[in-house]
Amino acid sequence: MLRGKKILLGVSASIAAYKAAILIRLLKKNGAEVKVVLTPASLDFVTPLTLSTLSNNPVYSTFVNEDDANAEWNNHVELGLWADVMIIAPATSNTLSNMVTGACNNLLLATYMSAKCPVYFAPAMDLDMYKNEATLNNIAALTNRGHILIEAEHGELASGLIGQGRMAEPENIVEFLINDLKKGLPLTGKKVLINAGPTYERIDAVRFIGNFSTGKMGVALAQQALKYGADVTLVLGPTQVPHVLDGLNVIRIESADDLYKACIAEFEKSDIAILTAAVADFKPKKISTKKIKKTGADLNIELEPTLDTLAELGKMKTNKQILVGFALETNDELNYAKDKLKRKNLDYVVLNSLRDPGAGFGHDTNKVVVISKDGNMVETPLLQKQEVAVAIWNNIIKEHV
Ligand code: CTP
């Protein structure tokens, strides 16, 4: 959800400023790009070096960067425009009040006033200050302005008192942000199951039967579902290609049997399942625990069919669930794909033909026909797999969600 999001973190002078370090790490872990602007007073609580190292970006606390031999102006307008989201955490009583009045006596406040993006603020102060009418009025003024409050939590405060006033824990801020950004997206509240990649069927201790699938199409579909607000589980085979998997619930599997078990276990709680994996149709009947030595003679490996996960999910499917399969064909494509759609009780089948250059295994591109059980067909040109994923999702969303 946060992948590629540009997040500007404003840190003001509270003991909770140390939590900014953890917050930056979590935001980065979720794929966000983070820049930090601090009030000068917050430098007593946290060092710029810690925050610049964690954010992997310079941090800003003054209008002019005086350390530089050629003094440079830190452009608050640029910072404000750069951000997709601004989070002020911790937001002290003083910063809240300056945000309300438009006082602009530090770079954080100037940047806040230049920001055009959604602004979240996480107050931190002592319990009586938090309950004070002035604070309540300031918070109300900011939320009326459209800014989003991340409520302070209850617990032990720096003063030793116990009550509401602690800045929300960084994990809770990130969770709040993700849930808030999901609002209004087409797949918010939906659970999506996707499988991707090849399966490996062991022959002996060192060998397997596999295929050339890289999992790129399935991962693109999973990432797009995440962008559309879904809670996504990705069952991923042993692909050697590095994938960006931030924000996905990933279950790594090796064989067709593993894939079957993982998908059957996850399907019941899923609203939509898309099965892109190139599952082995056969596996060795016996797996040798030792490496099979060559003898000079022929070697016959007896194979038996694997379980068909898609067909099984088709049997389990309720009329509230949507099931999508892929069909990779080399000839008589449309007929084979339509047959799979019916035979496996699917709502959609996505056909790719190995006769189309640039489509199918390994490429960054694909060209597909999405066929629905009602007989509707949508064909894409050759596109990047991410763009094909958008087209597939838009088609499902238009008809079903
Ligand atoms: N599939 C599956 N389990 C298997 C084999 C395939 O879940 N053991 C799924 C794939 O993930 C894909 C769809 O079935 O979504 C079609 O896979 P494909 O290999 O094209 O077709 P098969 O069902 O194997 O049929 P055929 O061999 O006749 O092409």
Side-chain angles (χ1 to χ4, degrees):
M1 191 70 229
L2 298 182
R3 206 162 95 70
K5 275 259 175 317
K6 295 184 186 125
I7 298 186
L8 185 59
L9 176 64
V11 178
S12 61
S14 154
I15 187 72
Y18 79 92
K19 291 186 187 169
I22 306 160
L23 181 55
I24 294 168
R25 281 195 59 175
L26 290 176
L27 292 169
K28 296 276 292 178
K29 213 171 140 212
N30 278 274
E33 196 184 333
V34 183
K35 288 190 181 179
V36 184
V37 55
L38 301 119
T39 64
S42 73
L43 300 177
D44 289 336
F45 295 94
V46 68
T47 75
L49 185 61
T50 308
L51 304 190
S52 65
T53 308
L54 289 171
S55 64
N56 219 359
N57 268 317
V59 301
Y60 310 90
S61 58
T62 51
F63 286 100
V64 178
N65 190 352
E66 280 149 12
D67 294 340
D68 203 314
N70 313 305
E72 213 182 291
W73 187 50
N74 288 324
N75 190 332
H76 56 88
V77 179
E78 248 171 44
L79 276 173
L81 292 179
W82 171 85
D84 297 320
V85 168
M86 183 169 190
I87 310 175
I88 301 172
T92 59
S93 153
N94 186 43
T95 292
L96 288 184
S97 132
N98 285 335
M99 285 165 72
V100 171
T101 60
C104 194
N105 52 20
N106 62 43
L107 186 69
L108 188 156
L109 291 163
T111 307
Y112 156 69
M113 291 188 66
S114 309
K116 291 208 163 110
C117 58
V119 176
Y120 294 77
F121 62 103
M125 61 194 77
D126 212 49
L127 75 165
D128 291 316
M129 291 171 77
Y130 196 58
K131 277 195 299 217
N132 188 290
E133 205 179 328
T135 305
L136 297 178
N137 287 341
N138 285 339
I139 289 177
L142 293 174
T143 52
N144 286 340
R145 212 177 273 174
H147 302 335
I148 302 138
L149 167 69
I150 306 175
E151 286 261 25
E153 291 175 4
H154 196 275
E156 194 172 333
L157 301 162
S159 61
L161 296 173
I162 292 177
Q164 190 179 14
R166 286 166 65 97
M167 186 180 91
E169 289 303 322
E171 299 77 26
N172 298 341
I173 294 182
V174 172
E175 196 187 326
F176 182 99
L177 180 67
I178 290 175
N179 288 337
D180 200 67
L181 292 173
K182 276 182 179 177
K183 278 186 197 155
L185 293 174
L187 294 178
T188 296
K190 299 278 178 213
K191 285 198 183 297
V192 166
L193 169 66
I194 293 182
N195 71 21
T199 62
Y200 286 178
E201 309 306 323
R202 287 178 185 238
I203 297 170
D204 67 10
V206 295
R207 303 181 182 94
F208 60 84
I209 298 171
N211 62 63
F212 295 113
S213 167
T214 55
K216 284 180 189 168
M217 191 64 243
V219 172
L221 280 161
Q223 286 166 344
Q224 190 56 38
L226 196 64
K227 280 192 195 148
Y228 276 162
D231 179 358
V232 187
T233 297
L234 175 68
V235 175
L236 183 60
T239 161
Q240 306 307 322
V241 171
H243 289 294
V244 179
L245 303 172
D246 304 325
L248 305 170
N249 312 311
V250 181
I251 302 174
R252 297 302 302 236
I253 54 95
E254 183 181 280
S255 65
D257 283 353
D258 301 339
L259 178 129
Y260 180 89
K261 278 184 211 131
C263 293
I264 299 288
E266 291 296 318
F267 185 60
E268 209 181 319
K269 41 187 173 190
S270 306
D271 299 295
I272 306 172
I274 307 186
L275 274 59
T276 75
V279 188
D281 288 327
F282 299 95
K283 62 177 183 179
K285 231 174 175 169
K286 279 195 207 117
I287 303 173
S288 165
T289 49
K290 296 198 184 92
K291 182 180 169 194
I292 301 171
K293 297 302 242 181
K294 62 177 177 291
T295 58
D298 289 352
L299 174 69
N300 290 310
I301 300 170
E302 208 180 337
L303 301 177
E304 63 182 357
T306 56
L307 296 165
D308 190 321
T309 305
L310 184 60
E312 194 55 36
L313 299 193
K315 287 182 201 152
M316 290 169 67
K317 186 168 72 101
T318 66
N319 54 13
K320 289 202 178 112
Q321 291 174 302
I322 297 169
L323 182 59
V324 185
F326 265 61
L328 180 64
E329 306 292 348
T330 53
N331 58 293
D332 204 6
E333 292 88 343
L334 271 179
N335 283 335
Y336 278 131
K338 284 182 185 166
D339 173 61
K340 256 170 222 177
L341 179 93
K342 230 188 197 158
R343 210 167 16 95
K344 300 196 186 186
N345 189 27
L346 310 180
D347 296 283
Y348 295 91
V349 66
V350 180
L351 163 66
N352 29 198
S353 167
L354 279 187
R355 283 201 289 185
D356 288 323
F361 282 170
H363 303 286
D364 288 330
T365 51
N366 207 357
K367 178 175 186 300
V368 302
V369 186
V370 184
I371 307 164
S372 81
K373 67 173 179 206
D374 309 323
N376 298 334
M377 278 203 263
V378 173
E379 194 168 349
T380 71
L382 188 71
L383 295 169
Q384 292 296 309
K385 283 188 168 162
Q386 286 83 351
E387 296 170 303
V388 175
V390 174
I392 293 171
W393 273 120
N394 286 352
N395 194 38
I396 297 172
I397 289 163
K398 190 176 72 194
E399 292 189 7
H400 284 281
V401 182

